[in-house]
Amino acid sequence: MIVKVEAVLIADNPATFVTREIDGVELNFGGMEGDRHFGVLAKADSRQPMYKRGTEIMNRRQLSLVSVEELQGIADRLGVQTIRPEWLGANILVSGAPELTKLPMGIRMMLSSGGGLVCEGENVPCAGPGRVIAEHYDDKSLTKQFVIQAQKSRGIVAYVECPGEIKPGDHIEIHL
Amino acid sequence: MIVKVEAVLIADNPATFVTREIDGVELNFGGMEGDRHFGVLAKADSRQPMYKRGTEIMNRRQLSLVSVEELQGIADRLGVQTIRPEWLGANILVSGAPELTKLPMGIRMMLSSGGGLVCEGENVPCAGPGRVIAEHYDDKSLTKQFVIQAQKSRGIVAYVECPGEIKPGDHIEIHL
């Protein structure tokens, strides 16, 4: 399965998880340098309740990937025109992946540059992006609705297995 | 699902992949210090043909786990009395896991100590352990037979997500 990179984005403003588009980036071990989720290690939080909060663990959530098709599906269900990848803090927007969120943990996603990512499965939706969407459309009900309507379509998280460049127009080969 | 640690083993003789039993060990990021597969990073080899040989990648094969039940199944199919975990270069022998090799990639295996491993799926059998078995039983045909008969029962590989001690008698909770 081959998907196309439509946008590369970074969360480099410490005040927010919202990302901004960039021309491309050299992914390194740990993810995207300068991004708030960068690091080979990370501190356990509410996503890893089996570890005491703050414990150092391997960072399996370095990058967030979303698909054009799934974002449009969420927008349709919310009755809004569009959901921008920035609002979800996504790092990579791809097209050609209407079921991106269903990709299983552990599979490889090979970059055009020769680098590779490992899928860590569904990025379960939380209220943060919902609040950004609610603010944008000036409709508070969208916060909770996002969490409900984005289930199983909010994209995946991944980590860098092998460093390499990624930029819009590239393709990613998913090894199922 | 909970399994029991029956033995902890290390491959600390540079001349061979064969392991030897130890009393227990503090697993660190990268696996078991002193073991030939230790390291947060590793060089790509024939197991990762999508990368140029020698490329530095994240080490997803730090530890090898096998189960008492599956080893006995292989022994039965080979018509020999026993297959020792040492001969397969296993690091952790568990009991209570007749289908250990079927565990999917990405799932957590929590140690009694609070540490955690991530399953990286089936450790596909190769000829190396087959040769050790063939030598032990003085029967050359066992090399090839091992590769055939050990399919889907030769155990899994894993990496350390969170450091922690592991020793015989401990339990591992598998988060399916």
Side-chain angles (χ1 to χ4, degrees), chain B residues 38-172:
Chain B
F38 177 74
V40 171
L41 301 181
K43 289 191 190 301
D45 60 23
S46 60
R47 301 266 186 178
Q48 298 92 12
M50 63 291 296
Y51 298 118
K52 198 179 152 203
R53 189 177 278 257
T55 305
E56 273 208 317
I57 60 174
M58 292 298 286
N59 183 6
R60 301 167 68 184
R61 302 176 55 84
Q62 298 169 7
L63 302 169
S64 155
L65 288 83
V66 297
S67 88
V68 168
E69 295 84 1
E70 288 186 324
L71 290 190
Q72 192 54 52
I74 300 171
D76 292 347
R77 289 192 293 281
L78 291 180
V80 301
Q81 201 182 351
T82 187
I83 300 285
R84 300 219 31 99
E86 289 88 338
W87 303 342
L88 276 59
N91 297 111
I92 301 169
L93 173 69
V94 300
S95 62
E99 297 197 320
L100 179 72
T101 307
K102 284 191 182 165
L103 290 179
M105 292 191 288
I107 59 158
R108 283 197 175 87
M109 301 187 287
M110 296 298 298
L111 309 180
S112 313
S113 62
L117 312 178
V118 177
C119 172
E120 285 289 344
E122 183 183 4
N123 192 3
V124 179
C126 64
R131 278 190 286 269
V132 177
I133 296 164
E135 198 167 306
H136 185 85
Y137 288 109
D138 197 20
D139 177 352
K140 280 190 177 171
S141 74
L142 290 175
T143 302
K144 195 178 168 191
Q145 276 306 306
F146 169 77
V147 176
I148 296 167
Q149 301 298 342
Q151 295 288 335
K152 299 191 194 307
S153 57
R154 188 245 181 280
I156 56 173
V157 283
Y159 71 85
V160 176
E161 179 179 37
C162 180
E165 193 196 16
I166 187 167
K167 59 183 188 312
D170 281 358
H171 288 87
I172 301 178

